[in-house]
């Protein structure tokens, strides 16, 4: 696991964008695993800029997102579909981009379909991750086990509180989500985790320094051969 600590969030975002850009330049038909949340936003802005500058071309790339809320219409401004369109897809020329469907009539079938679509595309080359305050990756919440495949998850109180800021009220935050499982994340050839801010410091400490445990789902990343963690000083303050 490689850990890099930067003074500012901007530097973290630039470094993350550099790694994604290198991936796309080296392998123009890359399969990218993308994440939502505030952590990758600066990285996406940099990628958009490099696309506009003619440095990057995504026309052969496809992407799969980690997760989506269940029961939230895709047009809702807080859906991850809407987020990804606004923050990235509307501004670059990605060949195709897929998110799990949190409104599918049969959610279990949708979990299997998402895993199968990733497999059929050849697997994820580079997976971008943020991290929850409780150490979740995707929406894989603290649990007594690690779940391999895409799953339907009940959000914990900590996640509902953390994500409440995007919604009008706490009641409006969906309680369920569909998330790529830990096996899906660990199957990516390379993983890039971005964390910023003091509220991530404990999760980062537990991920990097403590035992591997399903109570901190990100800790399993230590068993992956090719993980890069990019942190600002605040997120690294407990290391
Ligand atoms: C959500 C997402 C995660 C994300 C996390 C952190 O719960 N499901 O994929 O990593 O939030 O978000 P942020 O980057 O906004 O702190």
């Amino acid at each position: 696991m490689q850990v890099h600590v930067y003074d500012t969030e901007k530097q973290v975002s630039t470094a993350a964008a550099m790694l994604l850009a290198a991936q796309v330049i080296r392998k123009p038909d890359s399969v990218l695993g993308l994440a939502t949340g505030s952590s990758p936003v600066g990285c996406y802005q940099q990628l958009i800029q490099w696309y506009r500058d003619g440095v990057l071309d995504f026309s052969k790339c496809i992407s799969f997102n980690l997760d989506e809320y269940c029961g939230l219409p895709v047009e809702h401004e807080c859906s991850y579909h809407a987020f990804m369109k606004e923050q990235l897809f509307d501004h670059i020329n990605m060949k195709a981009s897929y998110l799990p469907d949190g409104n599918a009539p049969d959610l279990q079938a949708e979990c299997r379909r998402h895993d199968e679509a990733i497999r059929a595309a050849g697997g994820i080359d580079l997976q971008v991750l943020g991290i929850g305050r409780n150490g979740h990756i995707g929406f894989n919440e603290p649990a007594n086990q690690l779940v391999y495949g895409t799953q339907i998850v009940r959000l914990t109180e900590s996640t509902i509180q953390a994500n409440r800021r995007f919604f009008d009220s706490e009641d409006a935050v969906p309680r369920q989500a569909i998330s790529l499982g830990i096996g899906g994340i660990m199957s990516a050839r390379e993983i890039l985790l971005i964390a910023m801010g003091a509220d991530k410091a404990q999760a980062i400490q537990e991920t990097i320094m403590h035992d591997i445990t399903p109570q901190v789902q990100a800790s399993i990343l230590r068993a992956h051969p090719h993980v890069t963690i990019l942190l600002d000083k605040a997120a690294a303050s407990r290391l």
Side-chain angles (χ1 to χ4, degrees):
M1 207 177 225
Q2 278 206 38
V3 182
H4 298 276
V5 181
Y6 296 91
D7 287 337
T8 66
E9 291 190 1
K10 174 107 177 75
Q11 289 167 334
V12 175
S13 297
T14 307
M18 283 175 167
L19 291 176
L20 268 153
Q23 173 68 41
V24 173
I25 291 167
R26 277 203 208 104
K27 188 179 178 211
D29 58 348
S30 287
V31 178
L32 303 175
L34 299 179
T36 49
S38 42
S39 306
V41 167
C43 165
Y44 295 159
Q45 284 169 355
Q46 182 62 75
L47 293 178
I48 292 166
Q49 192 54 52
W50 284 334
Y51 166 70
R52 287 184 179 148
D53 294 344
V55 178
L56 288 180
D57 173 18
F58 297 90
S59 62
K60 297 192 176 96
C61 287
I62 67 170
S63 70
F64 289 93
N65 261 74
L66 278 171
D67 48 16
E68 177 57 287
Y69 291 111
C70 290
L72 199 63
V74 290
E75 311 79 43
H76 191 287
E77 55 178 0
C78 293
S79 80
Y80 287 171
H81 280 76
F83 176 98
M84 288 306 298
K85 261 171 75 65
E86 191 186 324
Q87 298 296 334
L88 189 64
F89 299 148
D90 277 354
H91 312 286
I92 62 171
N93 63 338
M94 192 83 80
K95 181 179 168 194
S97 43
Y98 305 101
L99 287 91
D101 179 2
N103 293 298
D106 181 344
L107 286 169
Q108 293 305 332
E110 174 60 11
C111 291
R112 292 192 294 276
R113 196 203 55 76
H114 189 63
D115 288 335
E116 188 41 46
I118 293 172
R119 246 193 313 276
I124 292 170
D125 290 304
L126 176 59
Q127 175 67 58
V128 179
L129 295 175
I131 186 169
R133 292 176 194 173
N134 60 9
H136 74 214
I137 45 179
F139 266 131
N140 295 286
E141 296 281 43
N144 295 324
Q145 71 221 353
L146 298 166
V147 173
Y148 191 89
T150 292
Q151 62 165 335
I152 306 301
V153 203
R154 178 148 289 281
L155 303 190
T156 61
E157 204 42 50
S158 146
T159 300
I160 293 166
Q161 290 303 330
N163 291 1
R164 181 205 177 292
R165 66 190 195 276
F166 300 110
F167 291 83
D168 291 339
S169 69
E170 189 180 321
D171 283 350
V173 185
R175 271 28 186 187
Q176 270 196 332
I178 179 168
S179 175
L180 188 66
I182 293 297
I185 293 172
M186 291 292 281
S187 299
R189 293 179 190 93
E190 185 176 345
I191 294 175
L192 166 60
L193 186 145
I194 305 168
M196 299 155 173
D199 60 343
K200 301 294 172 68
Q202 185 176 345
I204 288 298
Q205 179 192 31
E206 289 174 352
T207 296
I208 296 177
M209 300 176 75
H210 294 186
D211 290 341
I212 295 176
T213 166
Q215 293 300 328
V216 181
Q217 298 260 319
S219 64
I220 188 65
L221 296 176
R222 283 159 59 192
H224 191 284
H226 201 169
V227 178
T228 306
I229 299 189
L230 303 178
L231 306 171
D232 71 350
K233 272 185 171 166
S237 59
R238 284 169 166 247
L239 298 183

